[in-house]
Amino acid sequence: MPKAVRFAEYGGIDVLNVVDVERPVPGARQVLVKVVAAGINPGEAVIRRGFLHDRFPATFPSGQGSDLAGTVEELGAGATGFAVGDEVIGFTHNRASHAEYVIVDEDHLTPRPAGVPWEQAGALYVAGTTAYAAVHALTVKRGETVVVSGAAGGVGSLAVQLARHAGATVIGLASEPHHSWLAGHGAIPVAYGEGVADRVRSGLRRSAHRRPTLATTNPVTPLAG
């Protein structure tokens, strides 16, 4: 029988168990994916620990995980966007990606990008779509300057690259150990802490732009002036 991760009570990783489950059957416009790699986001671990029970209660036994990457195993009725054997990345709302087989709505899948290793692909969907939505919402254009908070995090590191791809100058707020990575990806690194606003303004002067667009992937205090 296929295997899946389940937990029957709130807690840390010690409550997780690998158990036998029935092989899922895709419904209309659904796809059965054979999982190669799957990720977990910080919020999902918080849910597993029960800290968000009032807002996102678990139904026990519960699965875990949203991000996934794998190959198409079976198509449900009306699912025409993929073929058996296609390599895909995607997302499930059902807290179920930590399993050998996962049912995914067809519109929550996209082809695995060429050259992206399975491990990275399995953790890409949630952070990637969040970063894309943030940069797209700002309609970032060539010649503009974008300040990204949390610029070395899962969402922030992708937002940095997307904004640079759009032609923007990027100032990345991150701790100093991540500055070489940011500089290597074309961003101007700026450290957190006292005086951060002055350091951002200094980065703006270096970028020869007058004012930033603020893309927030972590909560920050808006800059004055």
Side-chain angles (χ1 to χ4, degrees):
M1 296 179 71
K3 305 288 187 182
V5 172
R6 293 286 187 269
F7 61 98
E9 60 181 317
Y10 289 125
I13 59 174
D14 56 300
V15 303
L16 298 175
N17 294 288
V18 177
V19 301
D20 292 330
V21 296
E22 295 293 331
R23 186 178 186 272
V25 177
R29 299 187 182 280
Q30 292 183 327
V31 176
L32 178 65
V33 177
K34 185 175 183 180
V35 177
V36 175
I40 184 168
N41 295 284
E44 296 166 49
V46 172
I47 290 173
R48 186 195 66 231
R49 293 177 66 87
F51 297 150
L52 296 178
H53 174 76
D54 290 341
R55 185 172 182 182
F56 301 115
T59 301
F60 299 122
S62 177
Q64 177 173 270
S66 299
D67 286 314
L68 61 96
T71 57
V72 174
E73 185 77 7
E74 184 181 341
L75 300 170
T80 60
F82 299 95
V84 171
D86 283 352
E87 297 181 350
V88 294
I89 66 172
F91 168 87
T92 173
H93 280 297
N94 298 324
R95 303 177 190 170
S97 71
H98 294 187
E100 290 184 315
Y101 293 96
V102 178
I103 296 292
V104 185
D105 292 340
E106 182 182 28
D107 59 359
H108 288 170
L109 291 171
T110 193
R112 179 168 76 105
V116 176
W118 283 111
E119 292 82 359
Q120 284 88 341
L124 182 60
Y125 196 90
V126 171
T129 54
T130 303
Y132 176 84
V135 174
H136 181 74
L138 293 174
T139 60
V140 175
K141 299 180 179 64
R142 182 173 301 278
E144 294 183 330
T145 297
V146 178
V147 180
V148 180
S149 177
V155 175
S157 61
L158 294 169
V160 165
Q161 295 173 74
L162 290 169
R164 288 290 296 138
H165 182 72
T169 296
V170 176
I171 296 174
L173 299 178
S175 58
E176 291 190 8
H178 300 295
H179 285 192
S180 61
W181 183 91
L182 288 168
H185 286 78
I188 300 171
V190 171
Y192 288 114
E194 186 176 353
V196 63
D198 290 336
R199 290 192 293 277
V200 168
R201 293 187 184 99
S202 176
L204 288 173
R205 288 191 290 271
R206 279 185 282 159
S207 70
H209 293 280
R210 297 181 62 184
R211 292 184 63 86
T213 299
L214 184 61
T216 305
T217 60
N218 283 332
V220 296
T221 301
L223 303 181

